[in-house]
Amino acid sequence: MGVRMLHRKLLQAAWLCCLLAVRVHSCPESCKQCSGPENDRCEECRAGWTLHRNSCVDINECDNERGICPTNSFCFNTEGSFECTDCDPACVGCMGRGPARCRKCASGYTLSGSKCLDIDECSVRVLACHGLDEICANTEGSFRCVCAEGFIRKDGACVKKQQLSVQEKGLFEDIQDDEVEVLQQMFFGVVLCALATLAAKGDLVYTSVFMGAVAAMAGYWLSDKGNRLLDNFLKGS
């Protein structure tokens, strides 16, 4: 039992020594090879760093190399490397971020103070849009011509919208409420005439239907008239 305990303790001690050795001999992140964990014990640096007095110092690639980034972008230095970032839309070439770092203003922009600002072509141009029915709308760095209200663009020109004809609108699309009432009365009149014709021939069934339809029409007419008279009376009082 004592031998097993001793063996376990020896293993734990060996693991601890290994961990301490790794920690003691681990190099700083910027060092490829070192003689100790301190920053000033570097012997060789990783890519993007340079050795200075036994320490690895970041190389600013943006200062040392011209043309490192594509056209209309600028170099941004990072730890051990660099990034290329697009210039502001107002710039043609730039030295940094924003419209105040432009080397030259892009088309549609003008230098105002230290910044390249958008030109409002709709204000500075007398006739930005040549069409009589066009309206100028300013955009960032440019402008566009839109058709005035009631007009649509067709074949490159603004033309007036065509009003829908009666046939295109439909037969009953513009019918009014009072016209609907007249049509209903006409329909019931035709039905009553047909029933009256059949009733005149002595058909008891059609006679009963005819009398019922007449009674219904009379009731509807009287109730409608009564409601109108009551409304007029209440409004007058």
Side-chain angles (χ1 to χ4, degrees):
M1 190 72 178
V3 175
R4 288 185 178 179
M5 184 66 69
L6 180 62
H7 182 65
R8 181 178 296 177
K9 288 185 176 181
L10 288 174
L11 285 175
Q12 290 176 350
W15 275 108
L16 182 60
C17 289
C18 290
L19 290 174
L20 289 173
V22 170
R23 187 172 181 180
V24 167
H25 293 292
S26 62
C27 295
E29 185 179 354
S30 58
C31 295
K32 186 176 181 180
Q33 188 175 346
C34 64
S35 58
E38 295 82 6
N39 288 330
D40 59 352
R41 301 290 294 276
C42 294
E43 297 177 354
E44 185 179 353
C45 298
R46 298 183 183 277
W49 304 81
T50 183
L51 190 64
H52 179 70
R53 295 181 180 178
N54 296 326
S55 296
C56 288
V57 181
D58 173 51
I59 299 173
N60 190 343
E61 294 87 353
C62 300
D63 287 342
N64 296 342
E65 299 184 39
R66 292 188 176 275
I68 193 172
C69 288
T71 305
N72 215 34
S73 64
F74 67 95
C75 182
F76 180 75
N77 189 56
T78 60
E79 286 286 318
S81 187
F82 68 96
E83 295 176 356
C84 292
T85 306
D86 291 337
C87 294
D88 192 270
C91 303
V92 175
C94 61
M95 300 169 287
R97 196 184 307 274
R101 303 301 303 277
C102 299
R103 297 184 185 275
K104 181 182 176 182
C105 294
S107 176
Y109 296 84
T110 184
L111 186 64
S112 178
S114 61
K115 293 183 178 181
C116 289
L117 301 181
D118 172 54
I119 298 173
D120 187 353
E121 291 85 357
C122 300
S123 298
V124 300
R125 295 190 182 188
V126 178
L127 288 175
C129 298
H130 301 293
L132 295 176
D133 303 310
E134 288 182 326
I135 299 174
C136 180
N138 188 57
T139 60
E140 192 67 26
S142 185
F143 71 98
R144 59 192 180 95
C145 296
V146 296
C147 294
E149 186 176 355
F151 291 81
I152 58 173
R153 190 169 296 279
K154 186 176 181 181
D155 298 330
C158 292
V159 296
K160 196 166 185 177
K161 289 182 180 179
Q162 296 294 327
Q163 298 295 330
L164 295 176
S165 63
V166 176
Q167 290 78 6
E168 291 174 329
K169 286 185 176 180
L171 183 60
F172 300 105
E173 187 171 340
D174 291 333
I175 196 168
Q176 304 297 322
D177 291 339
D178 53 349
E179 294 173 342
V180 172
E181 186 176 352
V182 171
L183 288 174
Q184 288 177 343
Q185 293 176 0
M186 290 174 63
F187 173 75
F188 284 124
V190 172
V191 173
L192 286 175
C193 288
L195 291 174
T197 302
L198 293 173
K201 294 181 179 180
D203 194 313
L204 294 177
V205 175
Y206 287 110
T207 302
S208 300
V209 174
F210 171 70
M211 296 300 294
V214 171
M217 283 293 296
Y220 170 78
W221 184 82
L222 289 174
S223 64
D224 185 57
K225 285 289 185 181
N227 289 335
R228 291 181 181 178
L229 289 173
L230 181 60
D231 289 340
N232 292 333
F233 175 76
L234 293 175
K235 290 178 181 178
S237 61

